[in-house]
Amino acid sequence: MKLLAITGGVGGAKLALGLSRVLGPDEVLFAVNTGDDFSHLGLHISPDIDSLTYALAEENNTELGWGRQGETWQFMDTLQALGGETWFRLGDKDLALHTRRTQLLREGAGLTAATHEITTALGITHRIAPMSDDPVRTIVHCDQGALAFQHYFVREACQPAVQGFEFSGIEQARLNPLIADWLADCDGVVICPSNPYVSVDPLLGLPGFREALTKVPVVAVSPIVGGIAIKGPAAKMMAELQVPATAGAVAGHYGDLLDGFVMDNSDKNEAKQIKIPTIVTQTIMVTLADRVALANDTIRFLQQLRAAQG
Ligand code: FO1
C-alpha cells in the first residue's frame, strides 16, 4: 500500500508517527503544511515541518506540544536580558535546527532539500515533503484585523475571533513535484487529524492539488472528537465561523474530496448521518500503540475502499 499522508500540527504528526511505524519510506510520503512558516529573528521557521520532524525522530516535546524534548533555554533567557523578542520561544537545540535550515536556504537550497538534509541528519528515513518550495503564508482575518499565523496562534494565543483565512502566495506556489509524482502512482491518501482550516486547506488550495487527489481514494481522520479538538484551536475556529464543532462538520468541510471518514468511538451516533463510508474506532492517540493501531485501521479502510473502487 503506497500512501500520501497530509499533515500539519501536532495531531497530524501523531498519526504520521503511527504510519511511519507500519509503512516504510517507499510506502508513505508525508506532505506537510508550510502556511505556518514565518521569518523570525532572522530565521526561517517551519513549525509544521518541525512538529513532524521531531515526532518521527521521537524527539518531540510532549509537554509543550511543540519543539524538542530535553531542551535548555539559555538563548531565550539571554535574548530576554538583551531586550529581544521572546514571545516565540526557541529552545537551544531547536534553535540549531532553525539556524541550519536558514543557512541551507541562504545557500540556495529549496525548503524540500533543506528539510531532507535535516531529517537525514536526525536519522529519519521517511521523506517529509513541504507542500511547496514557494512561500505560502496563512493570514488569519479576525476581530483584530489581519494577523500573520504565528501572531494569531502564539503571540495572541488564538484569542481573537476568526472571520476567515487567506493563504498569501498560494496562486503562484507550485505543488512540490515530490508530492505530484508520488500521487501519480500511489494507492490512497490519508488526511491526518489536523486542523482543516489552517493545516490542510493550504495544501488543498495549491493549484492542481485537489484535482490530483480525485484519482485515488482519500480518507480523513477527524481532528474533532466529542465536539472538541484534541489539540489546538479547531473547535474554537468552527464556533467562530458558525460551523458546528462536530466530526460530521469536518467531513462536510472536505466535501466531495473524501471517499471515507474515520471518527472516534465517542462519535459513533453521528456516523449514521454521514453520507460517505465511515469507520468508527479509537482516534485519540496517547501511546505509540494508539498511533500504530489508528494507522493500521486507516490503512485497512483505504484498502477496502480501493478494492470497492476496483
Ligand atoms: N507554540 C506556542 O504556543 N508557543 C511558542 O513559543 C512556540 C514556539 C515554537 C517554536 C518552534 C516551532 O516549530 C513551533 C513553535 N510553536 C510554539 C508551535 C507553533 O506555533 C505551532 O506548532 C504551529 O504553528 C501550529 O501547529
Side-chain angles (χ1 to χ4, degrees), residues 9 36 47-48 50 66 87-89 94 98 149-150 153-154:
D36 295 9
D48 283 354
D50 297 345
W66 46 267
W87 58 272
F88 191 79
R89 302 193 52 68
D94 192 32
H98 305 299
F149 185 78
Q150 295 305 332
F153 191 91
V154 180

Side-chain angles (χ1 to χ4, degrees), residues 231-252:
K231 192 92 182 81
K236 179 176 181 285
M237 289 178 172
M238 293 171 93
E240 289 158 357
L241 296 170
Q242 277 93 43
V243 172
T246 63
V250 173

Side-chain angles (χ1 to χ4, degrees), residues 20-41:
S20 76
R21 288 303 189 91
V22 177
L23 299 172
D26 54 348
E27 293 176 297
V28 60
L29 175 71
F30 297 104
V32 192
N33 169 47
T34 58
D36 295 9
D37 289 19
F38 77 135
S39 182
H40 183 61
L41 303 175

